[in-house]
Amino acid sequence: NVDDNENVVDHKEDKDEVTPAPTTTTTTAATVITPIPDAETTTTRKPYTPDQKNSLCVLPVIPDYDVDFESAGYRFGTSIKSYIEVQSAPDLTHSSYDFSLSFRTAKQNGLLFYAPDDRGTDFVALFLKEGYLNYVFSCGGHPVSIKSENQYDKNEWTTVEFSRSRKQLALVVGEENLLGVIKDACRKMELRPSYLVGGANDYDDIEYNLKHLDVKKLFSTKPFFGCIKDIKLNSQLLNTTIPPSEGVLPCSDNIESGVFFGKSGGLSL
């Protein structure tokens, strides 16, 4: 009998030792399957569209300008080949002319104005190099250059006048009144009545014609970055011939540093 009782006790103890195993297994399984993602949340999320308001984006996809070209002028340099073309009546530049424009920039280089003839050999050019204004007149392959004595890269509005009266050239800017003389024979000049302002679509011919001033790749790698307005010939405002190129904007004072991607997207390297 004692042996039977001992066997019973031992049997109960064996049951006590084996019983907790399934409980532990059940608890572990519950822990594993508890963090199931909420499928309803992921499937009901609305897709982002460009017109959707987003509190993280300060600027609208399509900018709403606070000024226009007529009142504020043109801002150049937001793309490498930003420029405008302005037009005059023909036969106004044969032996004399008086061009003028106002600009402001904080950069030292850039093409401000370029007017060639139909062959591309005779031309009138105005540009910045290292902050100095350069006025170049070329007729019959004989360029005459006038360079300002002061730098004009302080981001202040500056009006410059560059003119010709037969053999006399003049560059007038600020307190400076600089003169040049056409010494070589010059036939009647036939400039195209459409002039480039702020840049060009292709700089190869321009940089070639100005090679004597060491401007190789200057404009194509360092285009004008700033604003231009009040482009005149003989005191008359000149109008654009075609819509401004991509990257030309009204010259607003409300600007900030950074990169903006518009409706068509973009790439920043």
Side-chain angles (χ1 to χ4, degrees), residues 54-61 256 260:
N54 189 334
S55 61
L56 298 179
C57 184
V58 177
L59 299 175
V61 174
E256 58 184 337
F260 173 72

Side-chain angles (χ1 to χ4, degrees), residues 185-225:
C186 178
R187 64 184 181 281
K188 184 172 67 173
M189 195 174 225
E190 298 281 358
L191 294 178
R192 296 175 192 166
S194 183
Y195 315 130
L196 296 171
V197 176
N201 186 47
D202 188 345
Y203 291 104
D204 289 347
D205 290 342
I206 299 173
E207 291 177 337
Y208 177 80
N209 286 337
L210 296 171
K211 61 182 181 297
H212 64 289
L213 294 174
D214 192 25
V215 297
K216 184 178 181 180
K217 299 298 181 183
L218 179 66
F219 306 134
S220 54
T221 58
K222 298 178 181 178
F224 176 72
F225 188 89

Side-chain angles (χ1 to χ4, degrees), residues 8-198:
V8 172
V9 173
D10 291 339
H11 182 67
K12 288 180 179 180
E13 288 177 356
D14 291 342
K15 287 183 178 180
D16 291 340
E17 290 177 359
V18 175
T19 301
T23 303
T24 303
T25 303
T26 304
T27 302
T28 302
T31 303
V32 172
I33 64 174
T34 297
I36 299 177
D38 187 356
E40 182 179 357
T41 303
T42 57
T43 56
T44 58
R45 182 179 299 167
K46 294 182 179 181
Y48 175 81
T49 61
D51 295 328
Q52 179 181 348
K53 291 184 178 179
N54 189 334
S55 61
L56 298 179
C57 184
V58 177
L59 299 175
V61 174
I62 302 177
D64 185 13
Y65 301 116
D66 60 329
V67 293
D68 55 23
F69 291 122
E70 185 176 352
S71 63
Y74 302 85
R75 180 179 297 281
F76 302 88
T78 57
S79 70
I80 292 185
K81 295 181 179 180
S82 59
Y83 68 97
I84 62 172
E85 290 185 24
V86 294
Q87 187 171 23
S88 74
D91 303 329
L92 292 181
T93 58
H94 284 170
S95 60
S96 64
Y97 56 77
D98 186 359
F99 287 109
S100 65
L101 58 82
S102 296
F103 73 94
R104 72 175 182 184
T105 181
K107 302 295 184 181
Q108 291 198 319
N109 303 290
L111 182 68
L112 298 174
F113 181 93
Y114 190 78
D117 68 351
D118 286 331
R119 297 178 303 170
T121 55
D122 294 349
F123 62 89
V124 174
L126 181 74
F127 62 92
L128 282 165
K129 182 183 178 184
E130 298 177 351
Y132 296 95
L133 277 168
N134 290 260
Y135 166 36
V136 182
F137 171 89
S138 180
C139 182
H142 305 288
V144 180
S145 304
I146 305 176
K147 180 181 176 181
S148 68
E149 297 175 353
N150 299 316
Q151 293 172 297
Y152 296 93
D153 55 357
K154 304 299 186 293
N155 205 28
E156 299 173 348
W157 279 112
T158 301
T159 299
V160 54
E161 181 180 336
F162 47 111
S163 61
R164 174 198 179 192
S165 179
R166 298 192 180 276
K167 287 188 172 292
Q168 189 81 32
L169 302 175
L171 175 65
V172 180
V173 53
E175 303 272 330
E176 301 185 65
N177 190 343
L178 306 171
L179 302 178
V181 177
I182 303 171
K183 297 180 180 179
D184 298 287
C186 178
R187 64 184 181 281
K188 184 172 67 173
M189 195 174 225
E190 298 281 358
L191 294 178
R192 296 175 192 166
S194 183
Y195 315 130
L196 296 171
V197 176

